[in-house]
Amino acid sequence: LPKPVLSPVEGPHDPFEDLVPPQGIKLTPRHYAYLKISEGCNHRCTFCIIPSLRGDLVSRPISDVMREAENLVAAGVRELLVVSQDTSAYGVDVKYRTGFWGGKPVKTRLLDLAKALGELGIWVRLHYVYPYPSVDDLIPMMAEGKILPYLDVPFQHASPRILKLMKRPASAEKVLDRVAAWRREVPDLAIRSTFITGFPGETDEDFEMLLQFLEEAQLDRVGAFAYSPVDGAEANKLPDAVPEALREERRQRLMELQ
């Protein structure tokens, strides 16, 4: 029998990959999908072990991200949820290297990615955004309707002392000012965040600062977790552990306030 003629472009049939559609295999409903833009994290938050499990930040090439986004949209997706361990840091590891999409140069940077995604005619929702000053540049795009007026920002706490123990890159005062500025420009901005109660060393005063922050910030959606030691986390070595019952009591108080 004559041998089949193979296209030099397509190559031989792969029974494991050729049945996978261009948009990949989704586990979400047809109308939305997660779009992961990087892996790993450069931060060393003391309660987290992601860097030890997944390494430092590795950003996906922006051309690959946009190709996946286009395939998802072509398959019927109407909302993309942009995710990573630190969405704001996208491109830091490659020094915001310039890639190409649609024949045009595009920097590997969150702002440029958001602009490109905003051209696809779908909803774009940003998750796990650290409150860096660079996030301010995204707000005008929300005001113009290019991306959804939504930010998922894991603040984790408000006490400067606890934030320092957590090694978090933020301060409550600057965050409140920034949130107020965001809302002046985009009044319907929705902000979601998560917090940890009972972190080692958290005093009554620290916790009251967190409650006061929530009253002032008026966040739209809040999740809270009572601190739980994770194997390998640096926070386990900190002194003044908070009793488990008090951790949970504070979590409940926080959620009742919210």
Side-chain angles (χ1 to χ4, degrees), residues 35-122:
L35 182 66
K36 192 161 192 177
I37 62 174
S38 66
E39 187 64 84
C41 184
N42 287 343
H43 296 292
R44 295 298 183 266
C45 300
T46 56
F47 55 80
C48 179
I49 60 172
I50 283 178
S52 63
L53 294 177
R54 302 181 181 178
D56 289 337
L57 176 77
V58 177
S59 300
R60 294 179 60 195
I62 195 163
S63 58
D64 290 356
V65 175
M66 288 306 302
R67 188 178 305 111
E68 180 180 351
E70 287 182 309
N71 288 336
L72 288 167
V73 173
V77 167
R78 305 308 304 157
E79 178 179 353
L80 288 174
L81 286 66
V82 179
V83 296
S84 68
Q85 273 75 49
D86 180 3
T87 300
S88 308
Y90 178 63
V92 167
D93 56 311
V94 294
K95 299 180 179 179
Y96 307 116
R97 181 171 56 213
T98 298
F100 289 88
W101 172 66
K104 300 177 182 178
V106 186
K107 284 186 176 294
T108 307
R109 185 173 58 178
L110 181 59
L111 177 63
D112 298 73
L113 174 63
K115 288 179 179 178
L117 292 173
E119 295 177 10
L120 298 180
I122 57 166

